[in-house]
């Protein structure tokens, strides 16, 4: 049996198979020709070990990023308010996990206390519960880091929420500098939360 290719050319079964194999290999080569995205880690401060009966114990009940910031690709917020996902830069670990770890470390450093996530042991009795919701978590075209949202501090005696907005310029135009700027923005958020926690402890001591 013969197969006709075009008007005059003829090709055998083996020729067709060879052509198909070449086309498949070429297609696969085209798909794999792109460079894999570089993966970036969010810098965090070292672990703080604090012991004692009088230290603050805080439970971080929730940390929520906007949907676009939960993707692996690092997002840039454009001037027209559109979000552009990078094709060549990704988070090394899931963003929510990375941001939670960084904020916990910064909080522990700020309040010199113990921060836990759910689930917790029964022996851990928190002095306060904190929830953080980010409305904006993005890289700006200038390579600055912008974080905006609201945090809630819940104690037995009272509960309140506060808005926050921190923009930190990056030292350079590369993604590593952006990640450092993001970590600094989270440090500033931790300072704000820590100040409120310390203030509440002071007010509670005065009441007693």
């Amino acid at each position: 049996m013969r197969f006709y290719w075009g008007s005059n050319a003829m090709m055998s079964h083996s020729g067709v198979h060879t052509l198909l194999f070449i086309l498949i290999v070429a297609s696969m080569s085209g798909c794999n020709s792109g460079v894999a995205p570089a993966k970036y880690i969010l810098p965090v401060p070292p672990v703080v070990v604090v012991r004692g009966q009088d230290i603050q114990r805080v439970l971080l009940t929730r940390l929520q990023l906007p949907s676009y910031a939960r993707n692996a690709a690092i997002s840039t917020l454009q001037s027209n308010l559109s979000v552009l996902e990078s094709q060549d830069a990704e988070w090394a670990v899931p963003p929510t996990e990375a941001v939670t770890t960084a904020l916990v470390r910064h909080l522990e450093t700020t309040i010199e206390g113990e921060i836990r996530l759910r689930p917790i042991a029964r022996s851990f009795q928190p002095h306060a519960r904190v929830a953080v919701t980010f409305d904006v978590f993005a890289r700006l075209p200038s390579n600055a880091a912008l974080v905006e949202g609201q945090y809630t501090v819940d104690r037995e005696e009272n509960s309140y929420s506060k808005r926050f907005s921190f923009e930190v310029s990056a030292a350079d135009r590369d993604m590593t500098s952006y990640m450092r700027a993001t970590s600094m923005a989270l440090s500033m958020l931790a300072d704000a939360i820590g100040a409120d926690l310390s203030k509440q402890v002071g007010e509670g001591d005065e009441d007693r």
Side-chain angles (χ1 to χ4, degrees):
M1 176 181 285
R2 295 178 182 274
F3 291 83
Y4 293 88
W5 194 272
S7 56
N8 298 319
M10 295 182 294
M11 187 173 292
S12 65
H13 272 298
S14 60
V16 171
H17 292 161
T18 301
L19 177 61
L20 288 175
F21 176 77
I22 292 173
L23 289 174
I24 291 171
V25 171
S27 176
M28 292 175 65
S29 298
C31 292
N32 296 328
S33 60
V35 178
K39 297 184 182 296
Y40 293 86
I41 293 175
L42 184 63
V44 297
V47 175
V48 175
V49 179
V50 182
R51 295 183 175 87
Q53 297 298 319
D54 298 328
I55 65 171
Q56 285 201 73
R57 294 179 175 84
V58 178
L59 176 63
L60 183 61
T61 59
R62 185 184 74 252
L63 185 145
Q64 184 173 332
L65 295 175
S67 57
Y68 63 82
R70 298 175 210 155
N71 300 327
I74 295 175
S75 301
T76 300
L77 180 63
Q78 304 295 305
S79 57
N80 63 358
L81 300 184
S82 64
V83 176
L84 180 65
E85 291 190 343
S86 174
Q87 300 298 311
D88 53 12
E90 293 184 350
W91 291 80
V93 297
T96 299
E97 179 183 338
V99 174
T100 299
T101 299
L103 184 58
V104 166
R105 293 279 186 87
H106 283 301
L107 268 173
E108 287 177 337
T109 302
T110 299
I111 69 173
E112 295 186 347
E114 190 175 2
I115 315 295
R116 293 284 184 88
L117 307 173
R118 295 185 187 276
I120 58 173
R122 291 183 178 180
S123 59
F124 185 80
Q125 298 297 322
H127 298 99
R129 291 170 171 80
V130 175
V132 182
T133 301
F134 291 93
D135 299 325
V136 178
F137 192 100
R139 173 178 176 261
L140 298 181
S142 63
N143 207 35
L146 176 64
V147 296
E148 294 182 343
Q150 176 178 285
Y151 65 84
T152 299
V153 176
D154 185 14
R155 291 180 178 275
E156 290 185 2
E157 60 273 15
N158 59 13
S159 177
Y160 62 92
S161 298
K162 282 191 176 182
R163 303 288 304 174
F164 65 85
S165 178
F166 300 107
E167 180 179 332
V168 179
S169 299
D172 212 332
R173 299 287 302 179
D174 58 279
M175 280 295 181
T176 299
S177 297
Y178 162 68
M179 283 296 193
R180 288 173 178 158
T182 300
S183 183
M184 179 58 68
L186 293 174
S187 175
M188 295 167 71
L189 173 57
D191 288 344
I193 297 173
D196 281 335
L197 288 170
S198 299
K199 180 180 178 182
Q200 290 296 309
V201 169
E203 291 176 352
D205 292 340
E206 290 175 4
D207 293 339
R208 287 193 293 270

